[in-house]
């Protein structure tokens, strides 16, 4: 079992006795024995301290500020903070993605996982949507469940991680929500189709009840097919996801938030499908632009053997008639990212995390 670094971890010592870091098939006995509800809760400050001990030889994490987007609408309720992030599967980062400017030492899992956890702990999301998760069973589920999250994982049927020697099982999408803030009403694992054929891409959609307001809403996470030349395929996957979400939300009667790595620039058809959907969706990060109509210049920035890749691929979509975006986390600047781009010793993924604070519209029917 990998420790969290050279120091002995108080938090990991309990998990190390029951969890190995092998492939998913090796976890089954452990999973049957391990009941997260019976494990002691973790104080987030203690876990953050553990991470910082492991990361003390690395440069400090980048500072990002929230941009206030709140209109003059009064709300007596706490906002719902949603975090979207493709965290970079460990097997892909080390074995397939060829980040030619990133030192292999920067990808070491014992430290990189602490960078990922540090980012999550810094922004304290109420709901966390992740893609490329291949350490769900030995890292994210045991730790985040002890932080109060309910956890769901849906792996890809044919994950490319399985082609990498000494992999940790398939990667997939994961969804986490704080149990003290929300009640799970319904959960659906969706294997996306394209041209009526089942594909290797998946989504999770959960209907939650906000304990404070009593309002229902649906949260979904997905990761569409990558690479140039697959635009029509992504478009078909997007149509399938939208149809599934129409059914789940009863045609947008239930407000909706969709997080994902769409692997599609705003110029692609799948982006237009979401923009023009009858679900009345808007992309939250457009609100950071001066006119509220333009996506950020990038959400991923890396250097591969083929050259430098700077793209906008990650989005948080939301029901514009029912939800307000109170604030959004600003992106890293080019200066912060640095000439070697991502990932790096400073930042654990080739994709930036997106974080938004949402509130319910007081009179959603008025805008339908």
């Amino acid at each position: 079992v990998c420790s969290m670094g050279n120091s002995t971890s108080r938090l990991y010592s309990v998990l190390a006795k029951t969890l190995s870091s092998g492939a998913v098939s090796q976890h089954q006995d452990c999973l049957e024995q391990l009941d997260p509800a019976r494990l002691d809760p973790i104080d987030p400050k203690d876990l953050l301290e553990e991470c910082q001990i492991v990361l003390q030889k690395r440069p400090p994490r980048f500072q990002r500020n929230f941009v206030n987007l709140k209109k003059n609408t009064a709300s007596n309720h706490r906002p719902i903070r949603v975090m979207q992030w493709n965290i970079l599967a460990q097997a892909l980062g080390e074995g397939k993605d060829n980040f030619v400017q990133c030192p292999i030492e920067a990808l070491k899992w014992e430290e990189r996982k602490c960078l990922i956890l540090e980012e999550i702990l810094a922004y304290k999301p109420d709901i966390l949507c992740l893609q490329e998760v291949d350490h769900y069973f030995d890292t994210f589920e045991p730790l985040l469940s002890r932080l109060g999250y309910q956890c769901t994982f849906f792996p890809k049927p044919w994950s490319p991680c399985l082609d990498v020697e000494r992999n940790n099982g398939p990667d997939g999408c994961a969804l986490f929500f704080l149990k003290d803030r929300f009640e799970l009403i319904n959960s659906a694992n969706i294997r996306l189709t394209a041209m009526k054929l089942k594909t290797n891409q998946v989504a999770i959609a959960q209907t939650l009840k906000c304990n404070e307001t009593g309002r229902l809403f649906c949260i979904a996470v997905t990761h569409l097919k990558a690479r140039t030349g697959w635009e029509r395929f992504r478009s078909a996957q997007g149509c399938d996801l939208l149809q599934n979400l129409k059914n789940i939300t009863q045609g947008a009667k239930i407000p909706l938030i969709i997080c994902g790595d769409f692997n599609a620039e705003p110029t692609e058809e799948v982006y237009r499908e979401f923009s023009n959907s009858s679900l009345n969706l808007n992309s939250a990060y457009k609100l950071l632009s001066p006119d509220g109509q333009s996506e950020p210049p990038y959400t991923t920035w890396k250097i591969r053997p083929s050259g430098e890749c700077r793209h906008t691929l990650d989005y948080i979509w939301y029901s514009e008639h029912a939800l307000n975006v109170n604030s959004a986390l600003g992106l890293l600047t080019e200066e912060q990212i640095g000439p070697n781009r991502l990932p790096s010793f400073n930042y654990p993924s080739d994709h930036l995390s997106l974080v938004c604070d949402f509130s319910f519209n007081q009179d959603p029917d008025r805008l339908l």
Side-chain angles (χ1 to χ4, degrees), residues 185-239:
I185 303 301
N186 181 60
S187 184
N189 288 352
I190 303 165
R191 184 172 172 185
L192 298 175
T193 63
M195 299 85 166
K196 298 185 179 179
L197 298 174
K198 292 181 178 179
T199 73
N200 194 34
Q201 279 64 48
V202 300
I204 303 169
Q206 296 188 333
T207 303
L208 305 180
K209 179 181 177 183
C210 177
N211 293 334
E212 190 176 358
T213 64
R215 300 278 293 270
L216 293 180
F217 67 99
C218 177
I219 179 75
V221 55
T222 195
H223 188 185
L224 301 188
K225 174 67 181 173
R227 294 195 176 90
T228 303
W230 291 84
E231 291 81 5
R232 288 185 63 197
F233 196 84
R234 280 190 288 275
S235 175
Q237 288 182 326
C239 286

Side-chain angles (χ1 to χ4, degrees), residues 162-174:
L162 299 177
D163 296 333
V164 178
E165 190 177 354
R166 298 174 65 191
N167 66 75
N168 200 62
D171 76 301
C173 293

Side-chain angles (χ1 to χ4, degrees), residues 85-89 112 116 130-134 140 348-350:
W85 200 12
N86 178 333
I87 61 172
L88 175 61
R112 196 172 79 86
I116 295 170
L130 302 180
Q131 300 87 40
E132 290 199 24
V133 179
D134 63 345
F140 295 104
S349 176
D350 55 325

